[in-house]
Amino acid sequence: MELADSLRHGSKDRFNKNERALCYKQTVFCCLGVSVFSIVWCLLNYFYWYKNGWSGDELVTLLDLALRTLSWGAVSVYLHSQFFDSANTKFPFLLRVWWGFYFSFSCYCLVVDLVLCGKHVSLQVQCLASDAVSVFAGLFLCFVGFLKIKGEDTLLDEPLLNGDSSNNSESTKSRGGDTVTPYANAGLFSILTFSWMGSLIAVGNKKTLDLEDVPQLYSGDSVVGAFPVFRNKVELDSGAASGVTTFKLVKALFFSAWKEILWTALLAVLYTSASYVGPYLMDAFVQCLNGRGKFKNQGYLLASAFLVGKLVQCLTQRHWFFRLQQIGIRLRAVLVAMIYNKGLTLSCQSKQGHTSGEIINFMTVDAERIGDFSWYLHDPWLVIIRVALALFILSKNLGLASLATLVATVVVMLLNYPLGRLQENFQDKLMKCKDKRMKATSEILRNMRILKLQAWEMKFLSKIEELRKTEAGWLKKFVYSSSIVRKILSALATFRILQEPIYNLPDTISMIVQTKVSLDRIASFLRLDDLQSDVVEKFLRGSSDTAIEIVDGNFSWDLSSPNPTLKDINFKVFHGMSVAVCGTVGSGKSSLLSCILGEVPKISGTLRLCGKKAYVAQSPWIQSGKIEENILFGEEMDRERYERILEACSLKKDLEILSFGDQTVIGERGINLSGGQKQRIQIARALYQDADIYLFDDPFSAVDAHTGSHLFKEVLLGLLSSKTVIYVTHQVEFLPAADLILVMKDGRITQAGNYNDILNSGSDFMELVGAHKTALSALDSKQAGPASGNDSVSKDNNGMRTTNGVPQKEENKDLQIGKADEIAEPKGQIVQEEEREKGRVGFPVYWKYLTTAYGGALVPFILLAQILFQILQIGSNYWMVWATPVSKDVKPVVSRYTLMVVYVALAVGSSFCILARSTLLVTAGYKTATLLFNKMHLCIFRAPMSFFDSTPSGRILNRASTDQSAVDMQIPYQVGAVAFSMIQLLGIIAVMSQVAWQVFIVFIPVIAACIWYQQYYIPSARELSRLVGVCKAPVIQHFAETISGSTTIRSFDQQLRFQETNMKLMDSYSRPLFHSVAAMEWLCFRLDMFSSVPFAFSLFFLISFPKGIDPAIAGLAVTYGLNLNRLQAWVIWNICNMENKIISVERILQYMSIPSEPPLVIDENRPDYFWPSHGEVDIGNLQVRYAPHMPLVLRGLTCTFPGGKKTGIVGRTGSGKSTLIQTLFRIVEPAAGQILIDGINISLIGVHDLRSRLSIIPQDPTMFEGTVRSNLDPLDEYTDEQIWEALDKCQLGDEVRKKEKKLDSAVTENGENWSMGQRQLVCLGRVLLKKSKVLVLDEATASVDTATDNLIQQTIRQHFSDCTVITIAHRITSVLDSDMVLLLSKGLIEEYDTPTRLLESNSSSFAQLVAEYSARSNSSFEKLS
């Protein structure tokens, strides 16, 4: 009960508080209104009597009005200071008594006025109006003071309000993010005046807005509501999406928002009509001022018509613009959803033609542009109406002379067509270049680690700069051509009234051109082939005994290629069987799994699948997000099953090491996990889905031997013992457990059967098993062999005894762990929230932008050109007005010839000024964009690897595409518009002050009010604009991830969930955008209303006191006055828009200040040409962490890798093996300790000098889009002979010779058209070309079969016999023939000695690892015998 009472009281209090606040506001406004009314009255009377002489009575009236102004002003200040945010409930007694007295007195005066009027006593209208205003104000104040505000005692009698307000106190703080925008339920008045935005702007004024403060979109604007309508329209028109043409796409877009489009068309017509009221009535107004009015008070009537026209113009324009942008937001969102959904269903062939970078461009640039086109939606047909109206008005005033104008106008319009075609061509080329650049950028960002390891990043930066140079060439042509076009046209539009429609024409045409190009590109993308839907015949779970069956299957990745990828495939798998697939590198094992998933186009045959499937890819695909989310992958949490799967995938220990357990946020592409951890999370994800058929593409290769056997036992033989499992493997020891083994060669299944059957039946399988046996025999001889002393190494290594120094090692370990914990205190996630600036955009951002090109030297010239233009424009108008006679009977001041010559000279002069201004502006803007681009990219490429690990590439791509696009195409014009509109405003003020300087008495307070409003609005607008920038990156990020993991997503049938996530992210982006647009209109509406005040004042002033003013000049002033309020609002709008747009510059500058890696080269500390000559690596007390807020990964290593010897590094997944290698290449800088190579401390030389002298074959084999040659030798350092030699050494020579273009054969994005093993061999080829003294193999043979592994080891032994080779491997056989073995555990050295010595001691961890490996392998062979 108590709770209910307190809730009820709370809600009433809240309601009453709001009601009181509203009343106080109204009261303050009323008092302020009376004060302003009094001063205006006082001034009008003063000027009137000043000219016509005055008496004592009039002096008293003036004093009375002045006193009223002061007293009411004082009351409003008092009310504002006392009751603003106050809990006080009543106005002071004295104040209420005064209001009562004021009301009574005003009523008395009004009655006296009315009585005198009745007796026909001449009475000034002003007195009557003044008394009427006083009565209404007094009545309102009495109502508020005596009746409206109730005391506390009446609160309890109030009935309960609707349930909404009676939620508990927390819900009053309910986050804006959970509520729907007030726009959805706003009333008519609120919608007309945009008052529904008030609450959000008020919040933004008190605190920095965050996304949760911004309300949700209502269903009509949300992509979730709008997309199904749009999709149905497209499908209805085009049948399948593959039939989409540009026209059908436009039609679907139109029909998905046709009501709004028609409504805005109506508003546009109303606005256009209202804007011509002024020019149409101008002649009558000038005649009226000249004393030739047709009837009494015609002037007042005309002035009222001007004012009404102005107000209609204001209302319609604001709603027209708002609705257009609303349409734009909706269209942009549905297009992005459409492109995203298409990206999920693209066939492999289509994907090869369009890389993820290009597809991201469709979303970021093309969909954005189509959204922006909504601004220009009605302009093409409005131009015709405007020009027609303008010509009608001119013909009314000029008669036949207007025919010349008509001809000129038609010529101008026709000129636009060829110019438009030219621009379309430029725009098309520009977009293609942008695609290429974005494609290259996204590939480089994905593989930045490899580029840094190989010291190639600067070469690739120059590649990006080359692409940008081509793009900038087209950009230059595009911006110069459009600026010159615009100038030619505005010069021809001599008449001011024709200027605007014609001036805007090139803009509109340029925008139509750009939008058409974008629509064509999106339509052609939507027409691309999808995956064949009939490849797989699917049956429901339990409807058949057969799980998978392929009959006479022929499949090919490339349907145009004469020889298929998979030929004559026949096999049948029953439920519960386990099938192993093996074969050499490139034999078609992964393609076989892909074909079962339905990814490979089918040429002939049938493929049947019964039940739900799950897939584990060879190169792991991990989403950025929490580990738990990756494993659940959209399923509900079942804690017991989850724990069981973690156990089976041996992830428990890894999660204990990670600071946040399974809540740890994974960086992009699993950047903060080791290869093995990523692979095991993938397996856990598949297990959690509880499917019927499991497809594993060699997942055991990326994990160490111990984990591999654990996984095989727990997962394949344990959890999945009753399921259908098909696994590709290179590890022969996993084969005997399979019920069916498929041996593949050249895309055919050459042998099929169980282990014993096929062992004796063919040579292909024997090759694989033979290679494995060879490796094992080496292992056996090591284990059995005596302790042959490798004396040179058996001495103490840096004071640490080897095998029998265990106790000492343990103590040492505890001590180090203690230290590590102290250091690892501040823990944090690797991917931090995207940083955004808070508060106002600093002056340095503007200054930096203005002074980037030529140190800002062009800025004064641009301003000078605009000032001259303004002077010449006003001069030419003034000249016409002064020199033209008012009526036919007045003698002209100058001859007609002189009049025309001077006018034309002034017009030509002003055209030249405009041309100069425009060319200079474009030059400065272009130069600035180029410099900012180069600086930002240099800073990104020189950033340390930690920056790329913690920054999703979506954020970087967003700056390289969207923000760079704004700097290229929009910001120069936006900054220019601010300066130009200010100069124009000053020009108009100068003209008006010549005629009616009294206008400034009103103008100055109005300007003050406008500036106050703008200051009030800016904090919210700025933060909304920044939120738009921040919310865009997740959309791009999610999309890039989806494209790269589309196979996995499809294999789990999760397309729907990913499409929903994309829509949610899209709505999060549209939310701040929608409210940012509404906030802008909220401000503009108020500015327009305010600026109508001085205009109205000047009109009534001119009519009331026509004496002594030249009517022609007065007409000129009114013409300018018609533009005064529009321009004043335009100036403030431009300033606000510039603040919003300049945020793109701010975001680019943010990336120009990323801390850089150590210098590439340190001149005074360059190693000599032959370094390292011996290759000895000395490590001393090495401690490493990935970021200041993360725990230590290596916790004090000390050892020496002898020069010219092979050192193997082993250890459990996550023990720090890869981190040690990264530290050796200075990808990560040590927190303490040092590494010396041949006596040189690697931290003291340039990183380029270091990395270019070391070689590495990385864990993830990477190939770049290009050719075979460019992949082996990106820096063009070697001859073709050398490249062929390297290819032969790494067994790829024959493969490349088979290809038509040999070394120039194409490599697609990520090397997708090469198998994993072949990519690994290409990496070996790079190393063979480089011939470094120190070679690192980071799990280099993980993706190849044992035979190829032996071959690689043999090649390395042969060609790197005198080099220091450091090998990280999971296959024990790869490290057995090393001279030394280093065993790491949890970032510490557990053992370090020769393999022989370590194998002697049974207590050695290494010996246990080897025993386990050989036991596992031998057991599989024992099964056979």
Side-chain angles (χ1 to χ4, degrees):
M1 270 309 285
E2 283 175 21
L3 180 68
D5 278 354
S6 68
L7 286 180
R8 192 166 67 240
H9 290 172
S11 70
K12 283 178 184 172
D13 285 349
R14 243 188 346 269
F15 174 69
N16 283 289
K17 191 173 177 186
N18 291 343
E19 195 182 28
R20 285 199 298 276
L22 192 65
C23 286
Y24 287 128
K25 277 185 185 170
Q26 290 167 343
T27 311
V28 172
F29 273 116
C30 181
C31 297
L32 198 59
V34 177
S35 178
V36 170
F37 178 76
S38 304
I39 191 165
V40 170
W41 219 232
C42 178
L43 292 167
L44 279 173
N45 285 331
Y46 169 75
F47 292 127
Y48 184 72
W49 290 326
Y50 182 75
K51 282 187 181 175
N52 302 333
W54 51 20
S55 62
D57 288 351
E58 278 141 5
L59 202 59
V60 170
T61 310
L62 281 180
L63 279 172
D64 170 48
L65 286 167
L67 270 172
R68 278 192 200 191
T69 303
L70 289 173
S71 53
W72 283 107
V75 169
S76 38
V77 169
Y78 167 76
L79 285 173
H80 182 71
S81 57
Q82 284 299 309
F83 294 99
F84 188 69
D85 278 349
S86 154
N88 212 339
T89 52
K90 287 187 178 180
F91 293 113
F93 177 70
L94 259 176
L95 189 61
R96 289 188 290 162
V97 167
W98 184 46
W99 284 343
F101 174 71
Y102 173 71
F103 174 59
S104 314
F105 187 72
S106 303
C107 286
Y108 167 73
C109 291
L110 187 63
V111 169
V112 168
D113 289 343
L114 291 170
V115 168
L116 289 173
C117 271
K119 292 182 176 176
H120 304 292
V121 175
S122 72
L123 188 72
Q124 284 184 327
V125 179
Q126 288 96 316
C127 294
L128 199 61
S130 168
D131 290 339
V133 168
S134 299
V135 167
F136 282 116
L139 180 64
F140 172 74
L141 292 171
C142 288
F143 172 67
V144 169
F146 292 99
L147 307 171
K148 191 77 174 143
I149 304 288
K150 302 174 180 174
E152 254 94 30
D153 49 336
T154 58
L155 277 182
L156 298 177
D157 309 336
E158 293 242 284
L160 252 183
L161 279 153
N162 59 9
D164 289 356
S165 57
S166 56
N167 283 340
N168 63 15
S169 58
E170 281 179 27
S171 78
T172 58
K173 294 184 282 194
S174 126
R175 294 161 25 151
D178 306 331
T179 55
V180 177
T181 175
Y183 174 68
N185 311 312
L188 180 66
F189 179 75
S190 178
I191 283 181
L192 277 179
T193 60
F194 295 97
S195 304
W196 56 271
M197 260 310 289
S199 54
L200 185 63
I201 292 176
V203 171
N205 218 26
K206 293 198 182 89
K207 61 174 276 245
T208 303
L209 283 181
D210 287 311
L211 192 59
E212 52 263 27
D213 299 317
V214 183
Q216 297 289 352
L217 297 172
Y218 90 106
S219 58
D221 284 326
S222 155
V223 66
V224 180
F227 179 65
V229 180
F230 173 67
R231 189 184 49 211
N232 295 342
K233 291 270 186 300
V234 172
E235 285 168 2
L236 208 75
D237 272 355
S238 331
S242 54
V244 179
T245 61
T246 308
F247 174 70
K248 286 173 181 169
L249 185 63
V250 171
K251 193 171 153 192
L253 286 169
F254 175 80
F255 281 111
S256 59
W258 66 274
K259 288 179 189 158
E260 289 82 356
I261 292 174
L262 293 181
W263 176 232
T264 48
L266 176 69
L267 289 171
V269 170
L270 278 173
Y271 167 76
T272 308
S273 313
S275 64
Y276 283 97
V277 166
Y280 182 73
L281 298 175
M282 182 56 67
D283 193 44
F285 188 71
V286 172
Q287 296 301 334
C288 202
L289 290 182
N290 219 5
R292 298 181 180 175
K294 292 179 182 166
F295 54 88
K296 197 185 171 197
N297 287 343
Q298 185 194 2
Y300 285 110
L301 203 65
L302 285 173
S304 306
F306 274 128
L307 193 59
V308 169
K310 207 84 208 131
L311 295 176
V312 170
Q313 215 179 321
C314 156
L315 259 175
T316 49
Q317 188 183 30
R318 295 285 53 98
H319 284 278
W320 169 31
F321 283 0
F322 173 63
R323 298 295 163 122
L324 280 182
Q325 291 180 86
Q326 195 180 357
I327 295 168
I329 291 170
R330 190 183 306 175
L331 298 188
R332 179 186 298 124
V334 295
L335 278 172
V336 168
M338 196 78 182
I339 294 165
Y340 179 88
N341 293 0
K342 182 71 181 179
L344 263 179
T345 59
L346 274 188
S347 69
C348 170
Q349 195 101 29
S350 309
K351 234 185 194 175
Q352 283 183 6
H354 289 271
T355 57
S356 53
E358 272 181 275
I359 302 172
I360 285 171
N361 245 1
F362 292 134
M363 289 178 91
T364 53
V365 180
D366 294 305
E368 194 81 21
R369 179 158 297 133
I370 291 165
D372 289 342
F373 177 70
S374 62
W375 269 103
Y376 299 85
L377 200 57
H378 300 303
D379 285 13
W381 58 270
L382 270 181
V383 163
I384 298 164
I385 293 182
R386 284 177 176 171
V387 170
L389 279 170
L391 289 172
F392 167 68
I393 290 167
L394 284 172
S395 66
K396 179 174 168 284
N397 293 336
L398 300 178
L400 278 177
S402 62
L403 273 178
T405 318
L406 176 64
V407 173
T409 307
V410 170
V411 170
V412 167
M413 295 229 170
L414 290 176
L415 267 177
N416 268 297
Y417 181 73
L419 295 168
R421 298 295 300 180
L422 186 72
Q423 280 187 290
E424 180 174 8
N425 179 32
F426 291 160
Q427 173 68 19
D428 195 29
K429 295 275 200 302
L430 176 65
M431 287 312 296
K432 282 189 177 136
C433 294
K434 199 186 209 80
D435 278 350
K436 269 192 190 153
R437 172 172 67 81
M438 287 309 295
K439 180 168 148 182
T441 309
S442 71
E443 185 174 46
I444 286 169
L445 291 177
R446 246 198 329 273
N447 301 311
M448 189 52 90
R449 183 176 301 275
I450 305 295
L451 297 184
K452 287 195 177 290
L453 288 169
Q454 304 278 14
W456 289 345
E457 72 267 43
M458 297 325 280
K459 169 71 180 176
F460 277 76
L461 173 61
S462 63
K463 189 172 151 187
I464 293 279
E465 283 172 348
E466 276 307 307
L467 289 169
R468 169 68 185 181
K469 211 171 267 174
T470 321
E471 180 191 345
W474 291 109
L475 175 68
K476 200 172 188 174
K477 287 178 180 160
F478 182 74
V479 291
Y480 275 110
S481 66
S482 49
S483 85
I484 288 165
V485 168
R486 187 175 294 137
K487 294 312 140 287
I488 296 169
L489 297 175
S490 62
L492 289 168
T494 357
F495 293 95
R496 189 185 188 91
I497 194 167
L498 271 173
Q499 229 168 28
E500 199 184 325
I502 290 184
Y503 187 78
N504 288 338
L505 194 60
D507 264 351
T508 307
I509 284 179
S510 146
M511 201 60 201
I512 291 173
V513 161
Q514 293 180 35
T515 307
K516 184 184 175 299
V517 170
S518 290
L519 282 163
D520 288 342
R521 284 158 49 84
I522 289 177
S524 68
F525 174 68
L526 294 177
R527 280 198 301 276
L528 291 176
D529 292 336
D530 284 348
L531 281 172
Q532 290 180 2
S533 51
D534 55 350
V535 174
V536 185
E537 294 173 29
K538 292 182 180 163
F539 298 96
L540 290 173
R541 180 182 281 199
S543 58
S544 155
D545 295 341
T546 314
I548 301 167
E549 182 179 16
I550 303 182
V551 183
D552 300 331
N554 286 291
F555 301 87
S556 178
W557 286 113
D558 181 2
L559 289 172
S560 58
S561 150
N563 48 351
T565 315
L566 298 172
K567 304 178 262 294
D568 311 323
I569 304 290
N570 284 288
F571 72 93
K572 192 173 191 174
V573 180
F574 294 103
H575 283 296
M577 272 176 81
S578 74
V579 181
V581 182
C582 60
T584 53
V585 167
S587 58
K589 303 181 295 297
S590 297
S591 295
L592 182 66
L593 289 194
S594 297
C595 110
I596 295 169
L597 289 171
E599 297 285 320
V600 189
K602 181 168 72 175
I603 299 171
S604 61
T606 51
L607 162 55
R608 299 188 188 91
L609 198 86
C610 173
K612 184 181 167 190
K613 58 194 184 308
Y615 168 66
V616 177
Q618 186 172 12
S619 44
W621 176 73
I622 300 285
Q623 269 186 289
S624 43
K626 293 178 185 157
I627 292 177
E628 182 190 282
E629 289 165 5
N630 266 288
I631 295 174
L632 297 182
F633 207 55
E635 298 283 311
E636 290 296 310
M637 167 61 91
D638 170 350
R639 186 50 72 181
E640 192 185 330
R641 177 157 126 236
Y642 181 73
E643 293 295 336
R644 202 167 60 239
I645 288 169
L646 288 183
E647 192 62 58
C649 297
S650 53
L651 279 166
K652 282 276 175 69
K653 284 182 186 165
D654 299 275
L655 294 181
E656 283 163 19
I657 297 169
L658 294 168
S659 3
F660 293 88
D662 63 0
Q663 297 305 305
T664 301
V665 173
I666 303 174
E668 194 177 14
R669 301 187 311 284
I671 207 97
N672 47 337
L673 298 174
S674 71
Q677 287 168 328
K678 284 190 266 193
Q679 202 55 281
R680 298 204 309 274
I681 287 173
Q682 264 212 121
I683 296 170
R685 173 173 66 204
L687 292 178
Y688 198 83
Q689 293 297 308
D690 191 27
D692 305 301
I693 301 167
Y694 283 86
L695 305 172
F696 288 102
D697 194 353
D698 197 16
F700 309 114
S701 61
V703 295
D704 55 77
H706 167 76
T707 315
S709 51
H710 173 89
L711 280 173
F712 190 76
K713 204 160 73 200
E714 292 293 322
V715 175
L716 266 72
L717 307 178
L719 289 175
L720 300 181
S721 52
S722 61
K723 306 276 187 184
T724 312
V725 182
I726 297 188
Y727 60 97
V728 168
T729 186
H730 289 130
Q731 277 120 312
V732 177
E733 61 271 23
F734 292 145
L735 295 176
D739 302 317
L740 172 67
I741 296 172
L742 304 176
V743 182
M744 298 206 63
K745 188 170 187 182
D746 299 333
R748 297 173 192 277
I749 298 178
T750 53
Q751 291 172 275
N754 67 21
Y755 195 90
N756 291 351
D757 296 345
I758 59 172
L759 194 57
N760 310 318
S761 67
S763 60
D764 297 329
F765 189 58
M766 279 306 294
E767 268 176 44
L768 294 169
V769 175
H772 183 62
K773 280 191 166 158
T774 315
L776 275 181
S777 60
L779 183 130
D780 292 339
S781 67
K782 283 268 182 197
Q783 274 179 299
S788 57
N790 194 338
D791 293 333
S792 63
V793 203
S794 62
K795 65 175 189 289
D796 265 14
N797 281 295
N798 292 3
M800 178 171 168
R801 289 215 304 287
T802 48
T803 337
N804 50 1
V806 178
Q808 174 190 346
K809 178 196 73 185
E810 288 300 331
E811 266 170 57
N812 196 356
K813 190 156 111 183
D814 292 341
L815 186 135
Q816 283 169 320
I817 288 175
K819 259 192 242 166
D821 283 349
E822 281 167 41
I823 303 173
E825 211 33 63
K827 293 176 177 175
Q829 299 279 24
I830 183 163
V831 179
Q832 302 293 330
E833 278 290 301
E834 179 165 8
E835 68 304 320
R836 64 183 172 110
E837 305 288 340
K838 301 277 172 93
R840 65 177 322 127
V841 177
F843 176 70
V845 174
Y846 293 100
W847 184 248
K848 183 93 181 162
Y849 181 74
L850 291 174
T851 55
T852 299
Y854 313 109
L858 294 182
V859 177
F861 292 106
I862 295 172
L863 294 177
L864 182 67
Q866 174 66 16
I867 290 167
L868 282 174
F869 165 72
Q870 197 60 36
I871 291 169
L872 290 170
Q873 272 258 308
I874 293 170
S876 64
N877 289 338
Y878 203 83
W879 167 256
M880 286 301 265
V881 166
W882 176 77
T884 315
V886 179
S887 57
K888 289 171 188 162
D889 42 337
V890 179
K891 187 175 178 290
V893 188
V894 291
S895 70
R896 180 158 283 195
Y897 175 73
T898 316
L899 180 126
M900 288 313 290
V901 168
V902 173
Y903 183 73
V904 168
L906 289 168
V908 169
S910 66
S911 295
F912 271 113
C913 288
I914 273 281
L915 189 63
R917 176 199 90 180
S918 180
T919 315
L920 289 172
L921 179 68
V922 168
T923 309
Y926 166 76
K927 183 74 178 167
T928 305
T930 308
L931 289 170
L932 287 177
F933 177 90
N934 292 343
K935 284 181 188 167
M936 174 174 82
H937 278 71
L938 178 65
C939 290
I940 290 173
F941 276 67
R942 290 288 296 115
M945 204 55 225
S946 57
F947 168 74
F948 298 96
D949 292 348
S950 59
T951 309
S953 62
R955 289 184 196 168
I956 304 173
L957 289 174
N958 193 10
R959 282 169 172 81
S961 66
T962 315
D963 292 321
Q964 186 62 44
S965 204
V967 172
D968 286 348
M969 309 283 258
Q970 294 171 329
I971 295 175
Y973 308 109
Q974 199 53 58
V975 174
V978 171
F980 305 154
S981 54
M982 278 182 158
I983 292 170
Q984 249 175 307
L985 183 67
L986 292 172
I988 288 186
I989 290 173
V991 171
M992 292 203 63
S993 61
Q994 291 299 304
V995 186
W997 62 266
Q998 295 83 351
V999 172
F1000 291 104
I1001 296 159
V1002 182
F1003 187 69
I1004 288 163
V1006 166
I1007 277 281
C1010 287
I1011 290 170
W1012 179 85
Y1013 257 115
Q1014 189 243 356
Q1015 292 302 318
Y1016 179 70
Y1017 147 91
I1018 261 298
S1020 310
R1022 199 171 35 224
E1023 295 314 320
L1024 284 168
S1025 199
R1026 284 185 177 132
L1027 282 172
V1028 170
V1030 171
C1031 291
K1032 190 163 192 182
V1035 178
I1036 301 174
Q1037 168 69 20
H1038 180 247
F1039 185 59
E1041 272 186 353
T1042 304
I1043 294 271
S1044 60
S1046 53
T1047 307
T1048 305
I1049 295 168
R1050 286 193 292 263
S1051 66
F1052 287 103
D1053 296 321
Q1054 294 268 0
Q1055 297 97 309
L1056 207 63
R1057 181 169 70 89
F1058 274 78
Q1059 288 168 3
E1060 280 168 8
T1061 307
N1062 175 55
M1063 288 190 190
K1064 277 188 196 134
L1065 289 171
M1066 204 51 220
D1067 274 346
S1068 298
Y1069 167 61
S1070 299
R1071 254 161 65 196
L1073 190 58
F1074 173 80
H1075 289 92
S1076 170
V1077 164
M1080 178 65 95
E1081 297 308 328
W1082 175 92
L1083 174 73
C1084 289
F1085 176 78
R1086 280 150 182 73
L1087 297 185
D1088 280 358
M1089 285 302 174
F1090 266 120
S1091 54
S1092 300
V1093 174
F1095 177 63
F1097 181 87
S1098 57
L1099 285 177
F1100 287 106
F1101 180 84
L1102 286 171
I1103 285 189
S1104 305
F1105 316 113
K1107 297 186 184 72
I1109 294 175
D1110 181 342
I1113 303 283
L1116 181 65
V1118 173
T1119 312
Y1120 274 107
L1122 280 171
N1123 286 302
L1124 176 66
N1125 70 331
R1126 189 178 64 88
L1127 215 95
Q1128 176 196 329
W1130 181 233
V1131 167
I1132 290 179
W1133 189 88
N1134 270 327
I1135 290 171
C1136 297
N1137 208 20
M1138 178 177 72
E1139 262 224 52
N1140 293 347
K1141 286 269 184 277
I1142 203 85
I1143 286 168
S1144 286
V1145 175
E1146 179 183 65
R1147 284 160 56 82
I1148 287 176
L1149 292 176
Q1150 216 176 42
Y1151 271 20
M1152 278 165 57
S1153 55
I1154 308 168
S1156 147
E1157 265 192 319
L1160 291 171
V1161 172
I1162 299 173
D1163 286 323
E1164 60 274 13
N1165 226 352
R1166 296 202 69 169
D1168 63 40
Y1169 181 75
F1170 300 104
W1171 178 86
S1173 52
H1174 183 48
E1176 180 173 85
V1177 180
D1178 248 325
I1179 300 174
N1181 186 29
L1182 186 66
Q1183 298 182 10
V1184 177
R1185 58 158 54 93
Y1186 278 101
H1189 58 265
M1190 297 183 81
L1192 281 177
V1193 184
L1194 297 181
R1195 310 190 291 182
L1197 306 189
T1198 303
C1199 60
T1200 301
F1201 300 156
K1205 304 282 185 184
K1206 282 186 72 175
T1207 304
I1209 302 177
V1210 288
R1212 249 188 73 82
T1213 301
S1215 59
K1217 305 186 295 289
S1218 290
T1219 307
L1220 177 56
I1221 298 308
Q1222 291 190 54
T1223 315
L1224 184 63
F1225 282 83
R1226 286 180 68 193
I1227 294 292
V1228 188
E1229 293 289 329
Q1234 61 178 24
I1235 298 179
L1236 306 177
I1237 298 180
D1238 283 357
I1240 291 185
N1241 184 343
I1242 61 167
S1243 297
L1244 303 180
I1245 60 173
V1247 286
H1248 185 270
D1249 280 339
L1250 168 70
R1251 292 168 188 166
S1252 57
R1253 310 292 176 90
L1254 308 179
S1255 283
I1256 183 165
I1257 303 183
Q1259 187 171 359
D1260 299 320
T1262 304
M1263 286 176 81
F1264 298 93
E1265 188 167 3
T1267 61
V1268 176
R1269 180 188 282 106
S1270 70
N1271 266 286
L1272 280 161
D1273 177 25
L1275 307 183
D1276 300 325
E1277 292 174 325
Y1278 306 103
T1279 63
D1280 280 8
E1281 288 71 41
Q1282 289 171 302
I1283 293 175
W1284 278 117
E1285 188 189 336
L1287 281 170
D1288 287 329
K1289 284 179 191 167
C1290 66
Q1291 309 298 313
L1292 277 175
D1294 298 339
E1295 185 69 35
V1296 176
R1297 282 189 187 91
K1298 271 188 222 162
K1299 297 185 184 286
E1300 202 180 317
K1301 294 185 179 168
K1302 308 282 190 286
L1303 288 179
D1304 293 318
S1305 305
V1307 176
T1308 57
E1309 190 177 22
N1310 290 339
E1312 295 287 349
N1313 55 346
W1314 293 63
S1315 78
M1316 276 288 264
Q1318 287 169 326
R1319 283 182 248 168
Q1320 199 66 281
L1321 291 173
V1322 169
C1323 295
L1324 174 65
R1326 287 178 191 154
V1327 167
L1328 287 164
L1329 274 174
K1330 202 170 173 183
K1331 296 197 181 80
S1332 298
K1333 201 70 184 157
V1334 177
L1335 168 63
V1336 177
L1337 306 177
D1338 186 358
E1339 322 245 356
T1341 55
S1343 314
V1344 294
D1345 56 274
T1346 319
T1348 316
D1349 183 9
N1350 290 349
L1351 201 141
I1352 291 177
Q1353 298 297 343
Q1354 201 179 326
T1355 311
I1356 289 169
R1357 269 196 293 275
Q1358 194 179 334
H1359 298 285
F1360 293 96
S1361 51
D1362 58 342
C1363 300
T1364 307
V1365 180
I1366 301 168
T1367 312
I1368 293 181
H1370 289 147
R1371 284 192 188 149
I1372 296 296
T1373 48
S1374 307
V1375 289
L1376 271 179
D1377 65 341
S1378 304
D1379 300 302
M1380 297 292 285
V1381 171
L1382 172 69
L1383 189 105
L1384 290 176
S1385 169
K1386 295 181 182 169
L1388 294 162
I1389 296 179
E1390 193 167 327
E1391 297 170 350
Y1392 181 47
D1393 209 333
T1394 62
T1396 329
R1397 284 201 178 194
L1398 289 172
L1399 289 171
E1400 276 176 352
S1401 158
N1402 293 331
S1403 62
S1404 134
S1405 305
F1406 181 68
Q1408 285 162 11
L1409 256 174
V1410 173
E1412 188 176 316
Y1413 182 82
S1414 54
R1416 179 178 80 186
S1417 305
N1418 288 329
S1419 69
S1420 36
F1421 285 105
E1422 280 157 20
K1423 276 187 188 174
L1424 317 178
S1425 47

